Amino acid sequence: MSDPAYHLRQTALGLERLAGLLRAQQWREPGEHALHPAQRALLELLGEDKRGWRVGELAQRLGVSAASASDTIAALEARELVRRARDPDDGRAVRVHPSRRGLAWLRRSRARGGTGERLLATLAPDDLAAFSRSLQLLILQAQRDGLATGLRTCAGCEFFRPFAGGGEAPHYCALVGAAFGDAQLRVDCAEQRPRGMDVGMSAADAVAQRFRTGAGGDNDNDNDNHNDKTSRSGRTPPRRHSASAE
């Protein structure tokens, strides 16, 4: 007889061990590619937005204290990978940007690919798609439990409609009015608008249930999926889903 509790413990243990191995491997990268995991995460985040980030914003996105974020920034400054500049919107504040050297580091790092990417590349496409969906659900639950505050996932976005259609592009983004597939699911999307977690859990529950049931689920609650093509300005932007360009 199977033991669900044992299965959960073993799966959680495997996840924790794998995460630990990936973090340790980041220190084993050759030469200047080696960075502390916190430094790598912060530098990757800085590379997402040319406007730069305030220290408080970085701390919130990374789920750490402002003091911890400041220490990480100082360490990256010592390696000349980041720089500080006055905030154009507030002369009393500063924003942190990747330096030219930091941008070069990001380009080389992304070109090489990480250990995690190399491991995931060994999965069959269907297995990778299932893993991507499971990852979205795990992060959504972590956010509901107050464990993750910075990640901007598809599943946690009010514009996301899982399995609103069929074929290779079953999901739908109401922000840009476009369908997309599992390969374009995002863990961190700059255009995300968080789904209200404070208005009960019905919306988040519906997304999670729809994700679990997949294309075979009931479409009754999604009749307006393809009609809800509004953006922040109330109009359908004349552009494709941003994930499609990656």
Side-chain angles (χ1 to χ4, degrees):
M1 175 180 265
S2 63
D3 183 348
Y6 175 81
H7 189 187
L8 283 175
R9 285 196 302 273
Q10 289 298 305
T11 304
L13 178 62
L15 187 62
E16 292 168 3
R17 294 281 174 84
L18 183 59
L21 289 171
L22 291 175
R23 285 193 297 269
Q25 183 61 34
Q26 292 175 350
W27 275 111
R28 301 189 186 106
E29 294 288 342
E32 63 180 12
H33 289 285
L35 276 183
H36 185 281
Q39 296 172 17
R40 180 184 294 266
L42 194 146
L43 187 56
E44 289 279 0
L45 184 56
L46 289 175
E48 294 179 6
D49 196 328
K50 295 180 180 179
R51 297 171 300 176
W53 298 78
R54 294 185 180 184
V55 175
E57 293 172 336
L58 289 168
Q60 191 275 332
R61 288 291 310 282
L62 295 171
V64 300
S65 67
S68 178
S70 294
D71 289 343
T72 302
I73 292 167
L76 289 170
E77 279 184 308
R79 297 185 59 169
E80 300 181 348
L81 294 172
V82 304
R83 61 181 178 85
R84 300 177 194 247
R86 288 291 177 186
D87 189 334
D89 299 324
D90 184 352
R92 298 168 298 177
V94 298
R95 287 186 177 272
V96 184
H97 302 262
S99 65
R100 289 185 179 180
R101 184 173 179 178
L103 289 172
W105 186 95
L106 286 169
R107 286 193 297 270
R108 289 192 298 269
S109 177
R110 291 168 180 173
R112 293 178 70 254
T115 303
E117 293 173 43
R118 293 192 289 271
L119 291 175
L120 289 171
T122 66
L123 296 179
D126 287 349
D127 291 335
L128 184 58
F131 185 83
S132 296
R133 294 193 299 271
S134 296
L135 188 61
Q136 292 275 326
L137 288 173
L138 289 172
I139 295 172
L140 180 63
Q141 186 61 50
Q143 289 172 328
R144 293 170 64 177
D145 291 346
L147 301 175
T149 59
L151 293 176
R152 301 173 293 185
T153 62
C154 288
C157 179
E158 69 175 59
F159 297 115
F160 180 57
R161 309 290 185 267
F163 290 103
E168 296 183 356
H171 312 305
Y172 186 79
C173 176
L175 172 65
V176 297
F180 63 100
D182 291 325
Q184 285 78 45
L185 284 170
R186 287 188 166 191
V187 169
D188 200 1
C189 175
E191 299 166 319
Q192 193 232 39
R193 183 182 291 177
R195 190 179 300 277
M197 295 290 181
D198 54 342
V199 188
M201 288 298 175
S202 58
D205 284 340
V207 169
Q209 182 59 31
R210 194 81 179 96
F211 232 32
R212 293 187 180 101
T213 57
D218 184 4
N219 283 317
D220 290 344
N221 294 327
D222 296 298
N223 289 331
D224 63 341
N225 283 341
H226 289 281
N227 294 321
D228 184 11
K229 300 184 179 181
T230 57
S231 69
R232 291 179 178 86
S233 61
R235 300 186 300 276
T236 302
R239 55 190 175 90
R240 297 155 58 198
H241 189 279
S242 58
S244 65
E246 294 187 349

